[in-house]
Amino acid sequence: MAKEQLQVLNALDIAKTQWYHFTAIVIAGMGFFTDAYDLFCVSLVTKLLGRIYYQVEGASKPGSLPPNVAAAVNGVAFVGTLSGQLFFGWLGDKMGRKRVYGLTLLIMVFCSMASGLSFGHTPKGTMATLCFFRFWLGFGIGGDYPLSATIMSEYANKRTRGAFIAAVFAMQGFGILGGGIVALIVSSAFDREFSSPPYSVVGAASTVPQADYVWRIILMVGAIPAALTYYWRMKMPETARYTALVAKNAQQAASDMSKVLQVEIPAEELKVEKLVTDKSNNFGLFSMEFVRRHGVHLLGTTSTWFLLDIAFYSQNLFQKDIFSAIGWIPKAATMNAIHEVYKIAKAQTLIALCSTVPGYWFTVAFIDRLGRFKIQMMGFFFMTVFMFALAIPYEHWTKHDNRMGFVVIYSLTFFFANFGPNSTTFIVPAEIFPARLRSTCHGISAASGKAGAIIGAFGFLYAAQNRDKTKTDAGYPPGIGIKYSLILLGVVNFLGMLFTFCVPEPNGKSLEELSGENEEQRDPPPTTFMA
């Protein structure tokens, strides 16, 4: 039997879409724009870093990052992100969403700038400082995941809550696109001003000294959008659900939301006191009651996000290698260092523009109509199908006349990742757990995803190497090749389909109904999806 809902929370649940909803989307979304820009822009400049700092005089190929350095540069931000998701997720439930929201942005601004200013007299020193600052950049980015998702879910009405949270996450697509565009502009400007012949003609001289500024500028631009939204984040009031259900301040919750919704809302101190002191709402994260109510749910949100990110980040971080393997990007020796950045950025920008960004916004448009389950299941299904479609006839796609077909199908995997589990795995953990544990559980789910991203970033780097050791990148042992790596990613996506059945369907329900916070009985919410 359901308890009577607090009027302040009911007012949020039934509120019409208003200006404050869009303001919250932009403020929270710009954090995700910055997150995506900072995480993925490094993949645009790793080959340039190899040319600048690891060139071997007289070598037949341009310099490349040694395996351990490449793994660190690509993966260290994910380690920081995982740590930040756990820490700030926990802190968001202890101190409030707003209080720690601005801190994550400040960390991101400082570390974006510091990454571009990485110093050192040797390649080892420069890469070490770059990795140091990118770890802490990732730490700040990690905090943005649970805080942004939780704030948006607690501000939204129940009718369009999925679309609002999805819109925040969709800014990630614009961040990836923005990184490509910035790299295009910077590399084309430098290539025009400091042009040089390709490596095959002049060797190491194809990397002009000014190329060292290119990667630094690209990384530092990530500080701008984060800095622009700091003031507005600090102006947002704390969410009513945290203030009422966790901080137990009914008066403040009613006052804040009366201003936001522009309606008069009573404080209901007695009702809040009764609600928060109810024994059925006081179990902890490590209690058997939590396991009974939400253990399967947490398994579902962590496992699906983990599996999704293995595939998603492998695809994103190493699409330049895949495009090079099929010949869509020319061989490195036929370009100078800056022009190579331009070519890689062009490929990433086209993928983002044609598949990544549309995929996110398809989710925004349809998530409250189709529900989370159908979209997540559909996304995993098509990602599986397209991975196998690329992998099984891989030799067919490597032929010159068939390369564009490979690019189209590869782009569709991005589309259905984003019109699918990449969006829903972010949305659902912000909806189904109790208010006092919501940010923590979202942080745990997101951290599980980043564990998958680390496996993708480190594992795919080695796995995708050619099976013939004479054709591997410098310093790498033979791998299983791109074909079998793609098959492996297809299997990972299939497992994601199976674990999707562990998560409840939140569509159309209030957060308290989903978490069981307004239920008299102790039975957990159903664990099966709605039809």
Side-chain angles (χ1 to χ4, degrees):
M1 179 179 175
K3 300 171 185 174
E4 187 180 352
Q5 176 78 305
L6 291 174
Q7 289 189 44
V8 65
L9 304 186
N10 186 60
L12 285 166
D13 282 340
I14 65 174
K16 294 181 179 179
T17 300
Q18 300 177 35
W19 181 248
Y20 83 89
H21 287 122
F22 296 108
T23 303
I25 288 170
V26 172
I27 294 170
M30 285 308 292
F32 267 91
F33 178 97
T34 307
D35 296 350
Y37 182 99
D38 289 334
L39 285 177
F40 292 112
C41 70
V42 73
S43 67
L44 300 169
V45 299
T46 49
K47 287 188 178 291
L48 177 62
L49 291 171
R51 288 195 188 226
I52 295 172
Y53 296 104
Y54 291 92
Q55 182 60 53
V56 177
E57 193 64 39
S60 60
K61 294 180 180 180
S64 62
L65 295 178
N68 59 328
V69 176
V73 169
N74 281 303
V76 71
F78 294 141
V79 178
T81 303
L82 186 154
S83 305
Q85 286 164 336
L86 292 173
F87 176 73
F88 286 110
W90 168 80
L91 202 63
D93 283 332
K94 294 298 179 185
M95 297 180 60
R97 292 50 161 136
K98 178 191 173 181
R99 191 173 293 182
V100 294
Y101 204 27
L103 178 59
T104 62
L105 270 188
L106 288 178
I107 294 172
M108 288 156 61
V109 171
F110 174 78
C111 291
S112 290
M113 295 296 296
S115 294
L117 297 173
S118 296
F119 53 87
H121 297 295
T122 64
K124 185 177 180 180
T126 305
M127 292 302 106
T129 53
L130 175 61
C131 289
F132 174 82
F133 289 122
R134 281 192 63 78
F135 172 85
W136 290 108
L137 173 64
F139 190 72
I141 289 172
D144 221 43
Y145 277 73
L147 293 171
S148 290
T150 301
I151 285 173
M152 199 65 243
S153 72
E154 294 181 345
Y155 262 106
N157 61 57
K158 65 181 180 181
R159 183 176 58 85
T160 57
R161 185 179 60 238
F164 289 155
I165 306 173
V168 169
F169 195 61
M171 294 299 289
Q172 190 178 79
F174 287 123
I176 296 171
L177 180 63
I181 291 173
V182 169
L184 283 173
I185 294 170
V186 173
S187 60
S188 61
F190 271 77
D191 198 26
R192 186 171 59 251
E193 190 67 26
F194 307 104
S195 182
S196 67
Y199 184 88
S200 58
V201 176
V202 295
S206 66
T207 305
V208 296
Q210 292 81 3
D212 194 50
Y213 295 112
V214 172
W215 70 270
R216 297 178 185 274
I217 293 171
I218 292 171
L219 296 187
M220 291 169 71
V221 168
I224 297 174
L228 291 176
T229 52
Y230 177 76
Y231 171 79
W232 297 107
R233 279 200 178 189
M234 293 298 91
K235 294 284 286 182
M236 290 180 72
E238 181 59 86
T239 71
R241 285 181 161 90
Y242 180 85
T243 305
L245 300 177
V246 184
K248 306 176 186 179
N249 190 336
Q251 187 67 45
Q252 188 65 52
S255 174
D256 288 343
M257 291 306 105
S258 292
K259 294 175 184 176
V260 169
L261 298 173
Q262 298 180 338
V263 296
E264 204 58 43
I265 301 174
E268 301 182 292
E269 289 97 336
L270 292 177
K271 193 185 291 186
V272 167
E273 184 66 25
K274 182 180 178 182
L275 191 64
V276 299
T277 56
D278 192 308
K279 289 183 179 180
S280 66
N281 287 331
N282 283 315
F283 56 86
L285 179 65
F286 299 105
S287 67
M288 288 305 298
E289 185 66 14
F290 178 86
V291 173
R292 193 177 72 83
R293 288 192 180 204
H294 299 290
V296 173
H297 301 164
L298 189 59
L299 171 64
T301 58
T302 53
S303 60
T304 53
W305 207 335
F306 172 78
L307 294 164
L308 176 275
D309 274 7
I310 291 176
F312 184 74
Y313 281 88
S314 296
Q315 291 171 231
N316 261 297
L317 284 173
F318 301 106
Q319 57 182 282
K320 63 184 184 300
D321 300 305
I322 291 172
F323 289 147
S324 296
I326 65 166
W328 206 45
I329 294 176
K331 291 188 180 299
T334 65
M335 299 177 283
N336 66 47
I338 298 176
H339 192 64
E340 185 176 34
V341 174
Y342 177 85
K343 285 289 190 180
I344 294 169
K346 182 179 178 182
Q348 178 166 309
T349 302
L350 285 172
I351 292 293
L353 192 61
C354 297
S355 62
T356 305
V357 171
Y360 282 114
W361 290 97
F362 264 69
T363 300
V364 174
F366 291 105
I367 191 163
D368 290 312
R369 301 180 192 180
L370 299 178
R372 287 63 161 158
F373 170 72
K374 289 180 181 177
I375 289 178
Q376 183 162 313
M377 185 64 73
M378 175 190 67
F380 271 130
F381 172 78
F382 281 112
M383 289 172 71
T384 304
V385 169
F386 289 132
M387 280 295 177
F388 287 139
L390 290 174
I392 295 171
Y394 181 71
E395 289 75 16
H396 167 80
W397 298 119
T398 59
K399 296 176 181 176
H400 186 273
D401 293 340
N402 303 326
R403 288 181 294 182
M404 191 51 64
F406 183 101
V407 172
V408 170
I409 296 177
Y410 188 64
S411 299
L412 285 171
T413 64
F414 281 103
F415 176 81
F416 282 104
N418 296 312
F419 183 32
N422 193 42
S423 297
T424 54
T425 53
F426 174 80
I427 295 166
V428 173
E431 300 180 295
I432 63 176
F433 299 106
R436 67 187 181 282
L437 301 172
R438 185 169 291 132
S439 180
T440 300
C441 289
H442 193 285
I444 292 170
S445 302
S448 179
K450 280 300 166 286
I454 292 167
I455 291 174
F458 285 78
F460 194 82
L461 189 66
Y462 287 87
Q465 292 298 315
N466 200 293
R467 301 172 81 181
D468 181 350
K469 99 172 164 177
T470 63
K471 297 180 180 179
T472 61
D473 292 336
Y476 287 89
I480 60 175
I482 289 180
K483 174 176 180 173
Y484 292 101
S485 297
L486 292 174
I487 289 175
L488 199 58
L489 294 180
V491 172
V492 166
N493 291 326
F494 177 75
L495 291 175
M497 291 175 59
L498 300 182
F499 279 98
T500 294
F501 287 101
C502 294
V503 192
E505 173 61 81
N507 200 25
K509 297 180 181 179
S510 73
L511 297 181
E512 288 67 44
E513 184 181 359
L514 288 162
S515 65
E517 288 171 289
N518 64 347
E519 292 294 319
E520 295 281 4
Q521 61 191 34
R522 294 170 61 85
D523 293 332
T527 58
T528 56
F529 280 98
M530 295 169 60

